[in-house]
Amino acid sequence: MADPGAPPSDLNCRPIREDDWEGVLDCLRRGFPMRRRKYWMHALTRLAERPAIAGCPRYGFALESSGRIVGVVLTLYARYPGREGDEIRCNISSWSVDKAFRPYAMKLIWPVLRRRDVTYTNISPAPSTLNANKALGFRLFASGQFAFLPALSSAQPSCRVLEVRSDLAEMAMLSDSERSILEDHAALGCLSFICVRDGAAYPLVLMPRRILHGLIPCAQIVYCRSLADLGRCAGAVGRILLRRGNLLCLVDANGPIAGLFGRYFANKGLKYFKGPKPPSPGDLTFTELVIFGP
């Protein structure tokens, strides 16, 4: 007699192919009905345009039964050059499994997590998945969000803020990796700046977005070298943002940030990681927020 708890014999987990897109879109729409089909098509198109990472799926994994896609998880891989060798991160996004197949949802995620040299992130976990995140070994790297008004932070007269261009002389003051982050994110629709103060250059990337049902414009910090650097540059950056109609900024954090005028909200915007190297709070580079859009 067949085990009633066993998965269907034809249930298969495999990497998503380009000819799967229609089935993937249908599954994502069932799992996230608040998102339009156009949003998911844009997401898959952006993934198709990203550089491939050897040995990693371009789109993610699909759970298939009787030739029909009944589960999807999207994976956003990025390579970060470093002094001690390249680091690979994977932002796990949009985990969706049809109701009848949810007892087998872990079958979809295990193939993603098989590599020990990759740092995995989950930056938008649904409340219902928090226990699963912990069971899989994910830990917090940001336990809340700090909302601040950069224009009200103290401005340093010596701080210059420059919008990134490839021919900007100050780009030479940054590492190759940071120059690439600034240029790539500018191409993806972010605001990329170099803040120059006391002979040092500080990179900064922000993503324009809206909160509170789309009523309030703000800017999400996508990359800063450290939250202390953000405090040094916020006043000068805030005046530029104010001229563009942006008064408010958000940054992931684990508490209040010195030098910034704002308020810390604990347990908001939780961010998780699993792997050898946790991202710093304030580092959302090449994640779904940027690639898919807010």
Side-chain angles (χ1 to χ4, degrees):
M1 179 180 295
D3 181 356
S9 59
D10 66 346
L11 193 65
N12 178 41
C13 180
R14 58 169 177 78
I16 295 169
R17 305 184 299 255
E18 287 193 11
D19 60 3
D20 292 322
W21 279 24
E22 287 302 314
V24 168
L25 291 170
D26 290 342
C27 184
L28 289 169
R29 284 283 292 128
R30 293 192 297 272
F32 301 93
M34 75 295 294
R35 294 285 194 188
R36 296 180 180 180
R37 193 179 186 85
K38 181 179 179 181
Y39 173 87
W40 295 117
M41 178 58 78
H42 172 74
L44 292 177
T45 301
R46 279 283 182 89
L47 287 177
E49 295 168 348
R50 294 283 302 143
I53 305 294
C56 302
R58 181 177 288 277
Y59 304 105
F61 285 88
L63 196 62
E64 185 180 48
S65 178
S66 301
R68 180 172 180 262
I69 291 177
V70 297
V72 169
V73 62
L74 301 182
T75 53
L76 293 79
Y77 285 89
R79 185 184 299 276
Y80 294 78
R83 295 178 181 177
E84 300 176 359
D86 288 357
E87 171 194 350
I88 298 176
R89 290 189 207 162
C90 173
N91 176 207
I92 299 173
S93 172
S94 315
W95 186 9
S96 173
V97 180
D98 290 354
K99 186 175 181 179
F101 295 89
R102 284 177 192 164
Y104 318 114
M106 286 298 185
K107 188 177 178 68
L108 185 61
I109 206 71
W110 283 123
V112 181
L113 300 175
R114 71 184 187 278
R115 289 185 57 165
R116 299 291 182 90
D117 60 327
V118 173
T119 295
Y120 299 94
T121 62
N122 185 346
I123 69 165
S124 57
S128 60
T129 67
L130 292 181
N131 287 336
N133 266 286
K134 294 173 184 177
L136 289 167
F138 280 81
R139 294 175 287 161
L140 281 170
F141 72 90
S143 58
Q145 286 193 320
F146 190 74
F148 64 102
L149 304 174
L152 297 185
S153 300
S154 58
Q156 301 294 326
S158 62
C159 186
R160 294 184 295 125
V161 180
L162 308 166
E163 192 156 4
V164 164
R165 301 191 318 270
S166 58
D167 62 345
L168 198 65
E170 286 79 1
M171 292 284 275
M173 302 172 70
L174 302 174
S175 67
D176 291 345
S177 178
E178 288 182 328
R179 286 197 296 271
S180 178
I181 285 172
L182 291 179
E183 291 178 338
D184 289 351
H185 283 76
L188 290 166
C190 294
L191 300 174
S192 291
F193 298 116
I194 297 177
C195 305
V196 181
R197 178 184 169 192
D198 299 330
Y202 303 94
L204 182 63
V205 179
L206 306 95
M207 166 65 79
R209 56 180 298 199
R210 288 180 173 269
I211 58 173
L212 297 179
H213 306 290
L215 298 177
I216 299 179
C218 71
Q220 175 79 47
I221 303 299
V222 170
Y223 180 75
C224 58
R225 198 179 288 154
S226 71
L227 295 182
D229 288 348
L230 182 61
R232 296 184 184 101
C233 304
V237 172
R239 281 142 184 82
I240 292 177
L241 294 176
L242 192 58
R243 292 197 292 270
R244 300 182 183 205
N246 244 328
L247 180 63
L248 179 67
C249 281
L250 298 176
V251 63
D252 299 313
N254 291 309
I257 302 171
L260 296 180
F261 183 85
R263 179 181 173 187
Y264 175 68
F265 295 88
N267 300 315
K268 297 292 185 182
L270 301 177
K271 306 290 188 294
Y272 286 85
F273 86 98
K274 173 184 174 72
K277 189 174 180 182
S280 301
D283 184 354
L284 297 175
T285 48
F286 301 113
T287 60
E288 63 190 83
L289 176 69
V290 175
I291 306 298
F292 299 169

